[in-house]
Amino acid sequence: VGLYGLEMRSLNFKGKILSFEPLRNSFKTLKKNSQKDKNWEIYNYALGNENKETHINIAGNSDSSSILEMTPKHIEGEPSSKYTGKERIKLFTLDSIFKNIYEKNDNIYMKIDTQGFEKNVLKGSKNSLEFIKGIQIEMSLKPLYKGSLLYLDMIKYLQKYNFELVSLENGFSNHK
C-alpha cells in the first residue's frame, strides 16, 4: 500500500520510487498514498520469473498474501494470516519491463517484499541485476511458503550476482 515509499519520503528521499502491487484493494490504497507525489510511479501487477496471468492467495492480514502456498508453520505463528481467497493477477519479469522504467545512470535500490516469491522475482531480473546497486529482501529462517528459499540459500543465490549481505533486521517471528 506504499508504506515503505511513505517512510522513504519521511526520511527525505527525493528520488524516483516505483511500486508494484498486484492486489486490487491494496493498489487502490497505494494509489491514494502516492497520488500527490510526482516522482512515484505505481503498477498494478506482480513481478516474477515469467510473463503470464496467475492467481495470488489473499491472506486475512493482507501482509502475508502470496502467489505461493503458505506452510502450516506460518499459520501456526500468525493465525490471522490464513488465506481467505484468491485473486487473478498479471505477472511480468523485471527484465521484460526494465527498458521502459530504467534511465541511464539511475542509481537503483530494489526492495523485494513478495512473501516467499523473492527467488522468482530475481530469476525474472537476471539481466536487470547488473544495473541494481542494492537489494533489500525478506528472508526466512524457517519455511513459511512452499518453494521459497531459506535465508542461507538466498544469500548464496545473491552472491552469484555479486551482491553481499550488509545488514540484517528482525521481522516476523513466532515467539513460541
Side-chain angles (χ1 to χ4, degrees):
V1 297
L3 297 180
Y4 187 80
L6 293 171
E7 180 182 359
M8 295 309 297
R9 292 297 190 230
S10 76
L11 296 170
N12 215 21
F13 175 71
K14 300 203 184 320
K16 182 167 55 170
I17 296 174
L18 291 91
S19 296
F20 301 87
E21 174 53 59
L23 290 170
R24 277 188 302 274
N25 286 337
S26 295
F27 185 77
K28 286 178 190 175
T29 305
L30 172 62
K31 194 172 188 175
K32 286 178 192 171
N33 287 336
S34 65
Q35 68 186 0
K36 293 179 183 171
D37 191 326
K38 300 292 185 217
N39 211 13
W40 192 345
E41 299 173 20
I42 59 173
Y43 301 90
N44 190 202
Y45 53 84
L47 295 176
N49 57 326
E50 54 188 326
N51 297 329
K52 68 177 190 175
E53 285 195 10
T54 190
H55 287 92
I56 188 168
N57 299 296
I58 302 170
N61 65 2
S62 79
D63 292 335
S64 301
S65 297
S66 178
I67 292 171
L68 301 178
E69 291 296 321
M70 197 179 290
T71 66
K73 188 174 286 303
H74 191 298
I75 297 167
E76 175 190 314
E78 184 57 52
S80 70
S81 68
K82 188 174 181 180
Y83 291 147
T84 59
K86 290 181 183 265
E87 186 174 309
R88 193 152 186 76
I89 62 165
K90 291 181 180 176
L91 182 74
F92 294 98
T93 66
L94 181 59
D95 287 344
S96 71
I97 64 161
F98 196 72
K99 67 180 182 285
N100 299 323
I101 60 174
Y102 175 75
E103 294 177 22
K104 190 175 180 177
N105 299 319
D106 275 353
N107 191 12
I108 301 173
Y109 178 80
M110 183 164 116
K111 178 182 183 279
I112 306 174
D113 184 0
T114 56
Q115 307 309 315
F117 204 63
E118 292 80 8
K119 183 178 180 185
N120 301 72
V121 173
L122 292 166
K123 279 183 169 183
S125 305
K126 287 181 180 177
N127 299 322
S128 308
L129 289 176
E130 69 180 275
F131 301 100
I132 296 171
K133 306 283 192 254
I135 299 174
Q136 180 176 338
I137 194 164
E138 292 187 350
M139 300 184 296
S140 183
L141 299 171
K142 300 284 183 180
L144 300 178
Y145 296 91
K146 295 177 183 174
S148 63
L149 286 183
L150 295 182
Y151 83 107
L152 284 177
D153 294 323
M154 181 58 75
I155 291 168
K156 289 175 189 172
Y157 185 82
L158 285 167
Q159 285 173 338
K160 293 189 307 188
Y161 296 98
N162 298 314
F163 289 96
E164 62 183 78
L165 181 65
V166 296
S167 179
L168 288 173
E169 246 179 71
N170 284 338
F172 171 78
S173 60
N174 181 345
H175 297 288
K176 292 179 187 174

